[in-house]
């Protein structure tokens, strides 16, 4: 015999009996049976949008920079342009001091008063994606398995490096002793204070 009751008077068991199988499955899914032993940290939402860093006034295309960190620290390089990521695109050139096309943060360079004319160098083809593509082309296997790892630049990257450096080297040769200046490595002697120097 069926008894009609108001929804607010239905017990939990009566309510579940009337519910469909889909509703019961959805309700059971909401119930958490197990809890983690440790608190799980949920990352907070970052509402700040990444903006391109403002370029220092002392850094302009053609400015000779001194690298302060990384593999080529102490080397003098030529600044070409600022990439959309905010990093600086620099080159040695490679035949002068062994520094290839690289990205560097402006916080880790010292701008000098020496400049090189880079108006003839076409660097429009160099973007942040160019360096990501180089990292993706490197091949390697698991170190535990004893496999060798091979890395190398593509032919297009080598051709781009040569085309840019050829123009810059031509401008460097027009200035006496500029090639030797770029080739020499920057270092400090005892008693020298970099904040008191004029570069």
């Amino acid at each position: 015999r069926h008894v009609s009751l108001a929804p607010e008077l239905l017990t939990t068991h009566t309510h579940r009996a009337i519910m469909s199988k889909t509703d019961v499955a959805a309700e059971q899914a909401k119930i958490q049976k197990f809890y983690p032993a440790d608190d799980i940290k949920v990352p907070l939402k970052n509402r700040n949008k990444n903006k391109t860093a403002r370029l220092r006034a002392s850094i302009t295309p053609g400015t000779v920079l001194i690298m302060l960190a990384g593999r080529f620290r102490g080397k003098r390089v030529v600044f070409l342009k600022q990439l959309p990521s905010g990093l600086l695109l620099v080159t040695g050139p490679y035949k002068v001091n062994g520094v290839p096309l690289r990205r560097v943060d402006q916080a880790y360079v010292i701008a000098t008063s020496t400049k090189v004319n880079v108006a003839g160098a076409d660097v429009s083809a160099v973007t942040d994606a160019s360096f990501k593509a180089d990292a993706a082309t490197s091949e390697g296997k698991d170190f535990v398995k004893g496999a060798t790892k091979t890395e190398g630049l593509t032919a297009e990257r080598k051709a781009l490096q040569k085309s840019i450096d050829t123009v810059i080297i031509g401008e460097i040769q027009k200035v006496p002793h500029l090639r030797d200046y770029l080739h020499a490595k920057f270092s400090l002697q005892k008693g020298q204070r970099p904040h008191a120097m004029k570069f």
Side-chain angles (χ1 to χ4, degrees):
R1 167 172 157 180
H2 298 282
V3 180
S4 60
L5 298 174
E8 58 272 10
L9 299 178
L10 291 175
T11 60
T12 305
H13 298 285
T14 308
H15 181 62
R16 288 188 177 180
I18 298 175
M19 293 173 59
S20 62
K21 294 182 179 180
T22 306
D23 296 336
V24 173
E27 185 180 0
Q28 291 178 353
K30 294 179 182 179
I31 300 175
Q32 189 175 4
K33 297 182 179 180
F34 302 99
Y35 294 91
D38 300 328
D39 294 336
I40 299 177
K41 295 182 179 180
V42 180
L44 300 177
K45 292 183 179 180
N46 186 8
R47 298 180 180 179
N48 297 330
K49 296 182 180 179
N50 295 331
K51 299 180 181 179
T52 303
R54 182 182 299 177
L55 191 63
R56 297 206 307 256
S58 58
I59 302 178
T60 57
T63 302
V64 176
L65 308 176
I66 300 175
M67 302 185 68
L68 302 177
R71 177 183 173 188
F72 299 102
R73 59 183 177 274
K75 295 281 189 177
R76 293 180 172 92
V77 295
V78 180
F79 169 67
L80 299 176
K81 70 173 183 178
Q82 186 180 24
L83 297 172
S85 62
L87 299 178
L88 310 182
L89 177 65
V90 299
T91 183
Y94 182 75
K95 288 188 176 181
V96 175
N97 53 21
V99 182
L101 286 171
R102 288 183 65 86
R103 296 182 298 176
V104 60
D105 195 325
Q106 61 178 335
Y108 300 104
V109 297
I110 295 177
T112 66
S113 58
T114 307
K115 296 184 179 296
V116 180
N117 185 13
V118 296
D122 185 13
V123 293
S124 59
V126 184
T127 60
D128 291 306
S130 304
F131 297 92
K132 294 179 182 179
D134 292 339
T137 53
S138 61
E139 299 178 357
K141 295 184 179 180
D142 191 5
F143 177 76
V144 178
K145 297 180 180 179
T148 58
K149 183 178 180 181
T150 58
E151 295 182 356
L153 296 177
T154 60
E156 292 80 5
R157 181 62 179 276
K158 293 180 180 179
L160 181 62
Q161 177 81 54
K162 185 176 180 180
S163 63
I164 295 175
D165 286 356
T166 301
V167 177
I168 297 178
I169 291 176
E171 296 294 333
I172 292 174
Q173 291 177 349
K174 297 178 181 179
V175 181
H177 308 295
L178 182 56
R179 187 184 181 98
D180 297 334
Y181 173 74
L182 293 173
H183 179 73
K185 192 172 183 179
F186 174 77
S187 62
L188 292 174
Q189 303 296 330
K190 185 177 180 180
Q192 292 181 335
R193 299 175 176 85
H195 62 274
M197 295 181 178
K198 292 184 179 180
F199 296 94

